[in-house]
Amino acid sequence: MMPAADSGRAGGARVNSSKPANRSRIWIQYNAPVPVNEPPTGRLLQGLLLAAILAVGAWLHWTQAGVLQIESDDLVLMGGSQRIHFQGWRHVFEPQHIHLIPLYKLLRLPFDLHFPEWWFGFHALLVGVHLASACALYLISRQYLANPWAAVATLLAFAWAAIGDEALVWKAAAPFALSWMCALWGFWRLTRPRLGSGVIGAGLLLAAVGFFSGMVFVIPGVLASVALLEPGRKRRAMVVCLGTLAAGSLTWAMFNREDLAHYWRYGGGQLGAAARLAGAAMDSVR
């Protein structure tokens, strides 16, 4: 009788059956539900449904394309576009009241120079920005909500909502739509594990602040959300968010020295520095 050590063979190879085979354990952590073997038909139908929701949203918001809501802020912005065109790019950083909106001024420049012929194109661009924000919300909801239909409902509710139409129709309020779109996509990229997501997320958050300087008050919320939902990526998010916060705040202070001096002197000796800066923060949010 042969020894037990030589008794087993598999495919011509000797198998040692006297000792249990060493097996290493692999631990896999799932941060979110992962669809497995989803049929191609299901993906196609889902894609068609999402495309239909976006198409209806585009039609709903395009109905306002013929509205020319020109108010005093628009006249100031149009005058700024003329100064940029004839006097130089330094006027890009002229404050709009207390806010800095340099990227929005650059984006608006060709539409102001060809007003009103290009105004329909301007509205189409803003409708696209709104739908891009809806897509970002869908991806975020699909990642962190248990029911995928809840993500579809989120997309539908945002894409079809008329509450924020003012930011699309009244072009002076468009920086809100542009900055929120960049902030949502920046948050999404910061939660992704892929190489380069931090750089892309930083660029998007900087763009959000460039479209509207008041977005610096949203950056801490972005950092807190990433730390809560993706603790493993909070260090990268901290570097990106704090860098964006510092860059946005310093740029605002550099080009708003008069406003900063106003708030620093506001109230004379009756108010402390914290109260004066709180007043500046409240004005920025408004």
Side-chain angles (χ1 to χ4, degrees), residues 59-168:
W59 174 77
L60 289 172
H61 296 292
W62 182 251
T63 58
Q64 304 291 328
V67 178
L68 294 179
Q69 184 176 344
I70 307 298
E71 300 187 13
S72 58
D73 286 337
D74 293 282
L75 297 177
V76 173
L77 286 166
M78 289 177 174
S81 295
Q82 294 294 326
R83 287 192 296 276
I84 294 171
H85 181 66
F86 290 107
Q87 300 178 19
W89 296 103
R90 65 183 184 278
H91 295 284
V92 169
F93 285 94
E94 285 182 349
Q96 176 77 356
H97 305 304
I98 196 175
H99 304 297
L100 280 185
I101 50 173
L103 292 186
Y104 178 62
K105 288 186 175 184
L106 290 175
L107 179 69
R108 183 177 172 130
L109 178 61
F111 299 103
D112 280 340
L113 297 179
H114 297 86
F115 176 83
E117 293 83 4
W118 286 22
W119 218 242
F120 284 98
F122 198 4
H123 190 78
L125 174 63
L126 294 177
V127 171
V129 166
H130 176 73
L131 297 180
S133 297
C135 292
L137 281 174
Y138 170 77
L139 292 175
I140 295 169
S141 302
R142 184 66 186 270
Q143 180 70 20
Y144 297 110
L145 296 181
N147 191 334
W149 288 107
V152 175
T154 301
L155 173 69
L156 186 148
F158 190 85
W160 293 6
I163 297 176
D165 266 359
E166 185 180 25
L168 307 181

Side-chain angles (χ1 to χ4, degrees), residues 6-26:
D6 300 329
S7 60
R9 291 181 180 271
R14 298 181 62 183
V15 178
N16 189 341
S17 59
S18 61
K19 297 181 181 179
N22 293 327
R23 296 181 180 179
S24 60
R25 296 182 179 180
I26 301 176

